[in-house]
Amino acid sequence: MPTTSSKLSAGRLAAHLVFILFSAFCVLPFLYVISISFSSERDVALEGFKLIPKNVTLFAYKYLFASPTSLLQAYGVTILVTVAGTALSLLLTAKLAYALSRKDFRFKNLFSFLVFFTLLFNGGLVPWYIMITKYLQLNDTLLALILPYVILPWHVLLMKGFLADIPPELIESAKIDGAGEWSAFYTIILPISKPALATVGLFIAFVYWNDWWLGMLFIDKGSLTPLQYLLYRIMNNITYLTSAVRAGNVSIDTSQFPNESARMAMAILACGPMLLAFPFFQKYFIKGLTVGAVKG
Amino acid sequence: METTYWQRLTKDINKHKGLMALAFPGLLFVLVFYYLPIFGLVLAFKNYNYSDGILGSPWSGFDNFKFFFTSDAAYQVTRNTILLNLCFIVLSTILSVVFAILMFELGRKSVKVYQTAMFFPYFLSWVVVSYVTYALLNPEMGVINMLLESFGMDEINFYFEPKYWPFILSFAYLWKSIGYALLIYYTGLMGIDRTYYEAAAIDGATRLQQVRKITLPLLTPLITLLTLLAIGKIFYSDFGLFYFIPANSGALYGTTEVIDTYVFRALRVSGDIGMASAVGLYQSLVGFVLVLTVNAIVRRINKDNAIF
Amino acid sequence: MRRMNVAAIFLCVVLMLGACSRGGASQPNGNAAADEGVELTWYFPSGQWPDLHLVEAELNRIVEPLIHAKIRLKGVDWNSYEQKLNTMIAASDEFDIVWTSNWILNYRINAEKGAFLAIDDLLETVAPTLKASLPDFAWKDVKVKNKIYTVPNYQIAAHYYGFAVQKKYADKYGLDPAAIKTIEDIEPFLKLIKQNEPDKIPFGSTQFWCPPCYGISAAPSFAEENGVAHYKEDPNRVIMPVDTPEYRNYLQLARSWYLKGYIQRDIAVVKDFSRLRGQGNMVVLFDVMKPGGEAEEYWKNGGNEVIYIPMYKPRFDGVTPTTNAISRTSRHPEKAMELLELVNTDSRIFNLLSFGIEDKHYKKIGENTIRVDGQSGYAPNANWVFGNVMNGYLQEGQPADTWEQTQELNLSAEVDSLYGFHPDIEAYKTESANIHALEKEYAIGLNSGTLDPDQYYPLYLDLLRKAGIDKVREEQQRQLDIWLEAKP
């Protein structure tokens, strides 16, 4: 063997070093965010950002949790929407992408183009809004938070890219066994595409989780407000109250308001559950249940 | 025997019934949420008023396009949009492919840790990131200026020096998105058949040769696809990045302003839907031309890699 | 194939169900409106208030017997309000009352585009008390093409700018407010602060470009302008304030203050101005003023007393900063008008909307004075969103004669000679969009002295010319001439 093990390990060491540095660089700001969220507003103002808060306080979180029911309700809405939306979206995205990835599919190019076209051209906000509120009548329903994002062209094309790797022989062999396209999709394609499903699924989940736009446009009912929009509104309250302009006529000591710290606490609250869900997705794209495994 | 186009089409549809059925629900959503509202593009050519509605409002020809094209800004923001995004695409592709291959070579355990760590910035919104960059860059208390000072160098008022911003923006973009891009390429690598490597190893190929001869060629379709998609999205650039990170400082617009931020600034007060639609149409058309061009080039080189 | 299109069928079913249930629900609205179920929706900007539904229930308890309609209060957060309402209006969504102003969801632009209902007749027939309760100038002020499209929320309608100086430093360094006649006069004081108070920021404001201080009748920004700019002595000639010697001189002054260190170096990009101010580190500010304003400034400046040094006489600037209009799409415009009449004449209702429920959201501490509980589930702190503020409670700290003072100021304020003229911006909206964009790019940098005017001002002016600032002026002049001609 020409490869010397010492050279190899030196290379590996260098790679590890690069990754460790880069990782630290990515995590550090996050730690700052956590630290600030536990700092008092005065400390942040006077001392700047510190990695370890001078005085640990829960004030920012208390402020955000001032009305726990609406916050918990919002978590419920967002979790429900994310889970249901991701499941539905992933299934339809995979189906469509699979059909588009099949080289022998007569309409592959036409349909791919139709999907791709929407990535570039759209009618703008107003007609889309009219479609959803007037024709589909989805406003103030949970479906308004789910359906508009079920098929996102970017996800379809990404999925198509992954599924194109499936060797045609595998599909042929399934067909010889007498399976139709549908059962082949469910029994063979889906199981071997777990890394792809996990990756695209994670991105879809992020879209649903982080969305406040649909909530802002379509939801007036308090009980259906998604988390991100609720947090956004709470933050706006603070910004509004602390902004000196046109502040009406009231005397509040706005310098005590948790502004920076609440913003950071909000960032933590907003991404916490997704942070916890990350390893679940990661399990699949790390494991890499590959084509070879099924074929062998 | 003569078969008409329609007969062939029916035959094809029949033959691909299964695949058609798989694609159908997805296409239905595409139709409802993308193609039906697309008639809204007419707004770009209308002087929209509410009482007459979208169809009833008077036509205005190309009036709505005027505000964008008569301004000096059109050239500048189009240039910024394209150059900055090309810079992002190239850097992010190279870095994430290299990282993905390196991770693929390293053990799974460490990969897990690195992947998670590098995904962290993706969890933070641009607003929060802008606080971090402000803490680094501001002239009074900024970390970088404190460092410069301690080395006896002059401080830099970053928020008024446009020349640094292409780098700062690229850096912020890479920092935030690398975890995401990396994941896509890593997943692509997981799809590669292991037996290729086993065969190559038996033939005595080195790791580097394996990467060059097996990994990269097999990853090319994915790289092409993602690049094409990214080029298509150039004109729907990341608003938050360009709006929040430069702190909306006017002095920086020369190098930081892109179409979306310009339109936001210009139309905020009037909220004119016609003019916004006109710019949207321009964005779509330029993006479309870019993608068709690149796709045609890809098709020339390798037909299979083109997306349509 | 049995599983075929489960999802597609699901989608279809959902869509149909949606359509049916909505169809069913909306029917009583249309047909049997007289019987029951008239619902009025009211969109206004607001924070996130968990107890809004309690206020709504209480409101309906009072209002329903009076006008036989149920009110739905739809508070939308401040940052999204414009975007959401613009979309809803453009999509012809049905709703009844909508808050509109000259700074968010522009009243004149939307009225001209046909978003609102003309209410001249409704005011006479349905809301005579409301009509009579406001001075004539208020109704005149909201006219667009000679029709009234909105009900102003009557409050202070005159403003003036000047310096707000922290009292302890004014005393310490013997500042004589009476001696400050022009902007430049404050400079020696700034110099003293700079020399003797190294921890303080002598001058805190981002910009202090103030056309009226220089005899120009205009708002500081093109974007804020609803009328036209002109010299006070030469009222019939339109000018562009950025293209005047006064502005050029001002820029030199700002630059020199910046270079002398009176102005904080990163002021132009500071994200959170009020927080900095709240630390009490800014000794002098250039700020908008109103009667009793010093009391508010106390907290805004981190618990430091301030004194006001006005730079010019109060100018009347209209009642459009806060109004409520009836939507063109309203099914029940009469009912909506009845509601607006109640809100503007019945202080019970106004106070409920503005401050919430007594002893839950606020406490009475005097006959007409309350203390708001900022931590409660409803504390919007924006009574001016709903109606005539003079019908409502005073808040702790406001002098008992606040409303009398306000009224007096409104009536005594200097009224611009071209008051009532509003140019039709449709004729130059292309130019206007580009000028806004340029203004955002250069104005703060120049006005705060951060950018060198010798280098950047010629550039800025050149770009403004290219963007059509001269065309705007000519067009405004043309419209003004026609208006002057028609004026009796």
Side-chain angles (χ1 to χ4, degrees):
Chain A
M1 282 295 218
T3 45
T4 61
S5 58
S6 66
K7 198 176 154 196
L8 196 71
S9 63
R12 288 176 76 92
L13 203 69
H16 274 295
L17 206 67
V18 170
F19 281 138
I20 288 170
L21 275 177
F22 201 87
S23 300
F25 205 67
C26 289
V27 176
L28 212 60
F30 205 85
L31 297 180
Y32 271 106
V33 169
I34 296 176
S35 154
I36 296 162
S37 77
F38 286 107
S39 303
S40 79
E41 203 57 29
R42 279 244 186 270
D43 285 351
V44 176
L46 297 175
E47 318 248 324
F49 294 178
K50 287 264 170 335
L51 202 51
I52 314 272
K54 197 174 160 201
N55 306 299
V56 175
T57 162
L58 289 172
F59 189 54
Y61 290 91
K62 275 191 198 138
Y63 183 85
L64 293 176
F65 271 101
S67 50
T69 37
S70 44
L71 200 62
L72 291 178
Q73 221 164 27
Y75 265 114
V77 168
T78 294
I79 290 170
L80 184 67
V81 164
T82 305
V83 171
T86 308
L88 181 64
S89 168
L90 193 56
L91 182 67
L92 298 198
T93 301
K95 279 183 177 178
L96 179 55
Y98 172 66
L100 300 184
S101 77
R102 282 277 296 272
K103 295 191 176 60
D104 57 333
F105 184 33
R106 161 77 155 75
F107 304 102
K108 166 182 172 265
N109 278 347
L110 174 70
F111 288 175
S112 296
F113 183 79
L114 284 181
V115 172
F116 187 80
F117 190 76
T118 61
L119 198 64
L120 293 168
F121 287 87
N122 59 66
L125 176 62
V126 172
W128 179 76
Y129 178 88
I130 293 177
M131 184 74 209
I132 290 168
T133 55
K134 292 261 159 66
Y135 294 97
L136 304 181
Q137 308 250 7
L138 295 181
N139 42 339
D140 263 338
T141 66
L142 279 179
L143 287 173
L145 300 175
I146 295 178
L147 296 186
Y149 290 160
V150 165
I151 294 289
L152 292 178
W154 157 256
H155 291 146
V156 174
L157 296 167
L158 180 63
M159 187 68 120
K160 180 196 160 194
F162 289 142
L163 297 183
D165 285 342
I166 297 172
E169 313 91 65
L170 192 67
I171 300 159
E172 284 309 312
S173 69
K175 280 197 184 153
I176 292 164
D177 292 345
E181 296 289 359
W182 276 73
S183 62
F185 175 78
Y186 280 105
T187 55
I188 296 175
I189 306 303
L190 280 190
I192 63 166
S193 314
K194 273 184 194 156
L197 290 173
T199 308
V200 179
L202 178 72
F203 296 157
I204 295 175
F206 258 106
V207 169
Y208 280 113
W209 184 268
N210 284 333
D211 180 71
W212 59 268
W213 180 243
L214 295 179
M216 186 272 274
L217 283 176
F218 300 118
I219 303 296
D220 284 335
K221 239 186 243 167
S223 60
L224 294 181
T225 307
L227 177 71
Q228 306 287 348
Y229 185 46
L230 182 79
L231 291 174
Y232 180 80
R233 293 188 64 155
I234 295 175
M235 204 61 237
N236 280 352
N237 264 6
I238 302 174
T239 324
Y240 172 70
L241 283 174
T242 48
S243 78
V245 210
R246 298 171 214 273
N249 31 24
V250 78
S251 312
I252 314 175
D253 179 5
T254 49
S255 68
Q256 292 290 351
F257 264 67
N259 194 343
E260 229 103 311
S261 53
R263 210 179 282 273
M264 299 303 168
M266 194 179 94
I268 300 294
L269 287 180
C271 73
M274 278 306 275
L275 213 60
L276 296 178
F278 188 74
F280 167 79
F281 288 99
Q282 200 182 31
K283 194 168 78 191
Y284 291 100
F285 43 74
I286 293 287
K287 227 195 269 166
L289 192 76
T290 48
V291 181
V294 173
K295 244 193 343 190
Chain B
M1 204 175 110
E2 261 194 33
T3 49
T4 64
Y5 175 77
W6 289 110
Q7 279 170 320
R8 261 183 294 140
L9 190 70
T10 338
K11 211 177 124 224
D12 278 333
I13 291 177
N14 251 323
K15 190 174 143 214
H16 294 297
K17 219 164 36 190
L19 287 177
M20 294 286 281
L22 277 172
F24 177 70
L27 288 177
L28 185 70
F29 273 89
V30 174
L31 177 75
V32 171
F33 288 100
Y34 297 91
Y35 280 99
L36 293 183
I38 222 163
F39 79 95
L41 287 176
V42 301
L43 280 173
F45 304 98
K46 293 231 166 189
N47 189 357
Y48 184 42
N49 70 66
Y50 304 136
S51 22
D52 294 336
I54 294 177
L55 296 176
S57 291
W59 295 96
S60 66
F62 286 93
D63 274 3
N64 287 328
F65 292 82
K66 258 204 242 148
F67 104 91
F68 190 60
F69 292 104
T70 54
S71 72
D72 273 7
Y75 164 72
Q76 181 180 307
V77 297
T78 306
R79 182 201 65 194
N80 284 350
T81 312
I82 294 181
L83 288 185
L84 285 172
N85 279 290
L86 282 183
C87 187
F88 296 168
I89 292 171
V90 171
L91 289 176
S92 139
T93 308
I94 294 175
L95 200 64
S96 50
V97 169
V98 169
F99 273 19
I101 291 175
L102 278 178
M103 281 190 179
F104 195 56
E105 297 287 319
L106 298 174
R108 276 182 199 161
K109 263 212 185 101
S110 47
V111 166
K112 210 170 175 173
V113 178
Y114 297 145
Q115 268 186 354
T116 315
M118 290 184 198
F119 214 82
F120 264 77
Y122 193 73
F123 285 104
L124 298 176
S125 70
W126 281 121
V127 182
V128 173
V129 175
S130 76
Y131 274 70
V132 177
T133 49
Y134 189 73
L136 288 173
L137 298 174
N138 83 66
E140 303 272 330
M141 304 267 290
V143 176
I144 291 181
N145 275 318
M146 302 251 240
L147 277 179
L148 286 179
E149 231 170 276
S150 67
F151 287 121
M153 287 188 271
D154 286 339
E155 61 162 52
I156 302 170
N157 200 347
F158 283 103
Y159 289 92
F160 289 91
E161 294 279 1
K163 62 180 181 233
Y164 299 107
W165 283 85
F167 302 102
I168 297 170
L169 290 177
S170 300
F171 199 80
Y173 177 84
L174 283 179
W175 177 77
K176 189 158 187 283
S177 66
I178 204 77
Y180 184 106
L182 169 73
L183 199 59
I184 296 177
Y185 287 116
Y186 190 81
T187 309
L189 290 173
M190 302 305 295
I192 294 176
D193 198 334
R194 292 291 158 99
T195 50
Y196 292 133
Y197 293 104
E198 285 154 25
I202 291 166
D203 289 347
T206 62
R207 272 326 225 308
L208 208 62
Q209 282 171 326
Q210 289 177 19
V211 167
R212 255 200 357 239
K213 300 278 184 205
I214 304 171
T215 315
L216 278 181
L218 286 174
L219 211 52
T220 309
L222 192 60
I223 297 175
T224 322
L225 173 76
L226 287 180
T227 310
L228 272 169
L229 290 179
I231 290 171
K233 288 211 306 189
I234 274 184
F235 284 91
Y236 298 100
S237 37
D238 210 330
F239 181 81
L241 169 65
F242 297 104
Y243 189 74
F244 295 113
I245 304 298
N248 198 18
S249 167
L252 303 179
Y253 287 151
T255 56
T256 63
E257 184 155 61
V258 293
I259 294 184
D260 286 331
T261 50
Y262 182 79
V263 171
F264 180 75
R265 203 145 54 83
L267 300 186
R268 224 198 106 71
V269 178
S270 67
D272 195 287
I273 290 159
M275 295 206 260
S277 308
V279 179
L281 190 59
Y282 168 73
Q283 290 176 305
S284 303
L285 283 172
V286 182
F288 193 55
V289 171
L290 277 177
V291 170
L292 284 187
T293 318
V294 179
N295 191 59
I297 296 169
V298 173
R299 197 170 250 282
R300 263 264 167 87
I301 301 166
N302 183 345
K303 198 163 172 275
D304 288 340
N305 286 348
I307 45 173
F308 43 76
Chain C
M1 283 295 148
R2 203 46 58 77
R3 267 150 112 185
M4 170 161 161
N5 300 340
V6 180
I9 292 167
F10 166 75
L11 176 66
C12 294
V13 169
V14 161
L15 302 187
M16 283 191 302
L17 278 180
C20 293
S21 63
R22 290 305 168 107
S26 62
Q27 224 128 56
N29 254 351
N31 300 340
D35 293 277
E36 43 141 6
V38 174
E39 266 197 8
L40 295 174
T41 41
W42 184 353
Y43 279 92
F44 55 90
S46 157
Q48 168 67 33
W49 301 111
D51 286 357
L52 182 66
H53 68 279
L54 296 179
V55 173
E56 185 183 277
E58 179 68 13
L59 176 73
N60 281 320
R61 203 182 56 76
I62 305 175
V63 167
E64 220 179 339
L66 297 173
I67 63 171
H68 308 289
K70 242 189 158 57
I71 321 299
R72 290 264 162 271
L73 295 176
K74 309 266 193 182
V76 178
D77 67 288
W78 287 93
N79 281 15
S80 316
Y81 187 76
E82 188 157 33
Q83 170 92 59
K84 175 158 175 144
L85 268 294
N86 264 334
T87 311
M88 291 177 61
I89 291 171
S92 294
D93 262 12
E94 273 177 29
F95 52 92
D96 301 283
I97 301 177
V98 53
W99 182 88
T100 169
S101 75
N102 62 358
W103 51 291
I104 294 182
L105 195 74
N106 192 291
Y107 163 65
R108 275 180 208 287
I109 291 176
N110 279 292
E112 275 176 25
K113 282 196 212 157
F116 311 131
L117 198 71
I119 51 173
D120 302 71
D121 298 337
L122 280 177
L123 272 174
E124 302 289 348
T125 54
V126 183
T129 330
L130 167 60
K131 180 84 200 272
S133 72
L134 300 189
D136 266 353
F137 70 76
W139 295 115
K140 203 176 138 201
D141 192 41
V142 295
K143 277 194 177 171
V144 172
K145 300 205 167 136
N146 242 346
K147 278 191 163 24
I148 297 172
Y149 290 92
T150 198
V151 176
N153 298 329
Y154 194 60
Q155 52 155 6
I156 184 148
H159 290 98
Y160 53 113
Y161 275 80
F163 294 112
V165 183
Q166 283 198 21
K167 190 167 181 297
K168 62 177 170 195
Y169 296 105
D171 292 347
K172 189 170 167 188
Y173 297 103
L175 179 77
D176 174 18
I180 312 291
K181 298 273 182 242
T182 66
I183 302 272
E184 286 84 354
D185 293 343
I186 196 87
E187 188 167 340
F189 180 67
L190 296 177
K191 195 172 174 190
L192 281 174
I193 300 293
K194 178 73 188 168
Q195 281 165 354
N196 301 318
E197 305 285 339
D199 296 340
K200 300 289 164 191
I201 299 162
F203 188 71
S205 290
T206 337
Q207 39 187 339
F208 48 109
W209 166 235
C210 141
C213 305
Y214 300 97
I216 295 171
S217 170
S221 151
F222 182 84
E224 285 169 31
E225 191 61 271
N226 281 313
V228 293
H230 60 91
Y231 285 109
K232 268 187 204 153
E233 288 86 58
D234 187 8
N236 296 343
R237 191 168 61 88
V238 177
I239 58 165
M240 291 287 128
V242 288
D243 191 9
T244 56
E246 286 80 5
Y247 185 59
R248 282 184 274 272
N249 291 339
Y250 160 78
L251 289 183
Q252 294 298 345
L253 180 74
R255 180 66 179 169
S256 75
W257 286 11
Y258 180 82
L259 291 176
K260 287 173 190 159
Y262 303 157
I263 301 173
Q264 203 184 334
R265 261 172 312 167
D266 60 342
I267 194 75
V269 285
V270 154
K271 284 160 193 281
D272 195 356
F273 182 74
S274 55
R275 188 171 61 80
L276 276 175
R277 185 180 180 182
Q279 292 162 19
N281 280 336
M282 296 173 167
V283 179
V284 181
L285 283 154
F286 193 73
D287 211 352
V288 64
M289 302 178 168
K290 63 177 179 188
E294 281 111 326
E296 288 170 34
E297 301 267 353
Y298 179 75
W299 283 118
K300 286 188 201 157
N301 283 294
N304 289 297
E305 260 183 83
V306 300
I307 48 173
Y308 273 170
I309 308 176
M311 282 291 105
Y312 57 91
K313 271 177 64 186
R315 283 178 73 219
F316 180 73
D317 53 13
V319 290
T320 48
T322 167
T323 74
N324 282 297
I326 296 178
S327 168
R328 169 181 69 82
T329 56
S330 169
R331 286 177 183 228
H332 309 288
E334 302 84 17
K335 294 273 176 204
M337 196 75 236
E338 283 176 40
L339 177 64
L340 286 174
E341 159 119 326
L342 277 179
V343 172
N344 280 288
T345 51
D346 186 330
S347 57
R348 257 187 323 164
I349 296 171
F350 175 76
N351 283 329
L352 173 66
L353 284 166
S354 306
F355 306 110
I357 297 160
E358 190 175 348
D359 292 330
K360 189 170 175 65
H361 302 125
Y362 66 86
K363 288 220 160 33
K364 264 191 147 168
I365 54 170
E367 195 197 336
N368 200 32
T369 307
I370 56 161
R371 178 185 297 142
V372 170
D373 176 6
Q375 301 294 314
S376 77
Y378 190 79
N381 183 27
N383 53 354
W384 42 267
V385 165
F386 300 101
N388 187 342
V389 295
M390 298 186 186
N391 292 337
Y393 292 132
L394 288 167
Q395 291 189 57
E396 195 178 11
Q398 286 183 309
D401 63 344
T402 300
W403 302 142
E404 287 76 14
Q405 276 191 45
T406 305
Q407 182 71 288
E408 199 185 303
L409 185 72
N410 283 353
L411 295 174
S412 69
E414 187 179 288
V415 178
D416 187 60
S417 57
L418 298 185
Y419 181 74
F421 170 67
H422 300 282
D424 176 7
I425 72 148
E426 194 61 26
Y428 53 85
K429 67 174 182 183
T430 298
E431 288 76 15
S432 156
N434 286 316
I435 292 170
H436 287 326
L438 284 169
E439 200 174 46
K440 285 254 173 71
E441 180 166 356
Y442 290 97
I444 288 191
L446 281 167
N447 291 356
S448 63
T450 321
L451 294 176
D452 180 4
D454 293 336
Q455 189 187 345
Y456 286 95
Y457 176 73
L459 181 73
Y460 179 37
L461 197 61
D462 189 44
L463 289 170
L464 285 172
R465 289 231 155 78
K466 279 192 192 144
I469 199 166
D470 295 318
K471 190 191 156 188
V472 172
R473 197 193 57 234
E474 283 156 24
E475 176 60 29
Q476 288 184 345
Q477 185 72 58
R478 194 186 63 80
Q479 294 186 17
L480 178 65
D481 291 342
I482 295 171
W483 184 80
L484 286 169
E485 200 120 315
K487 208 173 139 187

